Amino acid sequence: MYKPKNQTVWASDIAEYLNAELHGEDVLLQGPRAVRTLDIHRVLQQESEEQLPWLLLTATDLPVPAAERYVISTHPERDLALVLQEFFAVPIAEGIHPTASISQGALLGRNVCIGAYAIIDSGVEIGDSVWVMNHAVIHGPARIGRGTVIKDGAVVGSEGYGFVVDESGKRVHVPQLGRVLIGEQVWIGSHTTIERGLLVDTMIEEGVKIDDFVHIGNGCHIGRNSLITAGCVLAYRVQLGENVTLAPNVSVRECCRIASGVLVGQGGVVIQNIDVAGTYVGVPARELIMSK
């Protein structure tokens, strides 16, 4: 996690860091700015309306004078992230905030950061270099893998939503006694909820990235490197394979399985298993077949 760092950087330093050639004159850059429009005829309108020196990361060799100053990159988005980390951002200070509540029954690894008013329950195991941010809550039993980020207001390990009807017709809550197991390098967004299972563990595997305002029901299993974006709802015991992408506001019915490599488009509703990789859209979600 980072905050902005105010510093000026020579364009040549950025090119050298990327092992790339600087095309054009070397200049001192004032910092990153949002590009509002980029016209191929040399017009770069910056958010500040100032005509300051600028450097373009591009995937192709641009004809002069299309860009006065540029670096050719095979992966511009990745290289931009690296440049921002190296030159224009500084990590937020590590440590445990004095207002955090950490149970004596919790186990914390090395270099763990716990934010203000966060709550870590008994039976929680937190690996090395984990970030638990402000007002996040983690209930046990749960295990959080190394390098995971849990953002502000997220709730991990609360009891799942499970009720049965008793003899008098009243709905009685069924105790949820499973665990939440989260792998390494997972990202859990703000105000996301991840329920522990009834008896089956809720599992989030390595490299999964979960956006803000997502609900993961009890007993779900999310495969490696899957992406779940804002507003998605997964009912109980949903299973996602590896590298699944759920676009914003996707809903998945209870106990559905989604195969590895599937992308479900924005607002899609999955009501049955998806067994073949591909793109699925609509209500209910159906495979998108592109005509030739």
Side-chain angles (χ1 to χ4, degrees):
M1 304 302 293
Y2 301 92
K3 60 183 179 181
K5 176 171 63 175
N6 295 322
Q7 95 170 9
T8 54
V9 177
W10 287 98
S12 57
D13 290 338
I14 293 177
E16 181 180 359
Y17 173 71
L18 295 175
N19 286 325
E21 179 184 356
L22 173 64
H23 296 261
E25 177 189 5
D26 194 13
V27 293
L28 193 63
L29 303 173
Q30 303 299 314
R33 284 175 171 79
V35 176
R36 211 184 301 165
T37 60
L38 177 59
D39 185 89
I40 196 64
H41 301 294
R42 302 181 62 194
V43 177
L44 179 71
Q45 187 67 40
Q46 294 174 309
E47 192 70 32
S48 63
E49 305 293 345
E50 300 174 32
Q51 296 303 311
L52 297 175
W54 53 273
L55 172 68
L56 179 67
L57 291 179
T58 177
T60 58
D61 193 354
L62 295 174
V64 177
E68 294 179 342
R69 194 174 303 103
Y70 62 96
V71 168
I72 298 174
S73 167
T74 55
H75 300 283
E77 291 184 356
R78 181 197 65 189
D79 286 346
L80 174 61
L82 294 175
V83 167
L84 292 177
Q85 288 182 353
E86 178 69 17
F87 297 103
F88 302 112
V90 60
I92 298 173
E94 299 179 358
I96 298 176
H97 196 277
T99 62
S101 174
I102 302 173
S103 170
Q104 292 184 351
L107 298 176
L108 272 58
R110 298 170 296 177
N111 302 318
V112 170
C113 179
I114 310 292
Y117 299 101
I119 298 175
I120 312 297
D121 203 357
S122 179
V124 174
E125 300 178 26
I126 295 180
D128 297 342
S129 303
V130 168
W131 289 78
V132 180
M133 304 196 74
N134 302 332
H135 296 276
V137 178
I138 306 177
H139 296 285
R143 186 169 70 232
I144 314 297
R146 178 178 59 87
T148 286
V149 173
I150 301 175
K151 288 179 61 182
D152 302 319
V155 179
V156 175
S158 59
E159 288 211 42
Y161 182 80
F163 294 87
V164 296
V165 179
D166 67 10
E167 295 178 351
S168 67
K170 294 181 179 179
R171 297 192 181 275
V172 179
H173 182 249
V174 181
Q176 312 288 299
L177 303 179
R179 303 173 296 173
V180 174
L181 305 178
I182 295 176
E184 298 183 356
Q185 305 296 330
V186 171
W187 179 282
I188 298 173
S190 295
H191 306 291
T192 284
T193 55
I194 300 176
E195 297 179 337
R196 66 174 182 258
L198 171 59
L199 296 174
V200 175
D201 295 332
T202 300
M203 299 182 64
I204 314 292
E205 294 189 13
E206 174 186 353
V208 171
K209 310 302 181 188
I210 303 173
D211 202 351
D212 301 341
F213 293 99
V214 170
H215 175 74
I216 308 293
N218 73 80
C220 287
H221 188 153
I222 313 300
R224 294 174 67 251
N225 298 321
S226 290
L227 302 176
I228 304 176
T229 59
C232 289
V233 175
L234 279 61
Y236 64 85
R237 299 194 67 172
V238 167
Q239 297 182 52
L240 303 188
E242 298 183 359
N243 297 297
V244 171
T245 298
L246 303 183
N249 298 316
V250 166
S251 298
V252 184
R253 186 178 178 178
E254 66 272 9
C255 300
C256 281
R257 299 188 307 273
I258 298 179
S260 296
V262 165
L263 185 153
V264 182
Q266 185 167 353
V269 177
V270 179
I271 63 172
Q272 59 187 5
N273 295 342
I274 297 178
D275 298 320
V276 179
T279 299
Y280 294 78
V281 297
V283 181
R286 296 182 175 88
E287 187 174 10
L288 179 63
I289 306 298
M290 303 297 292
S291 59
K292 293 183 179 180

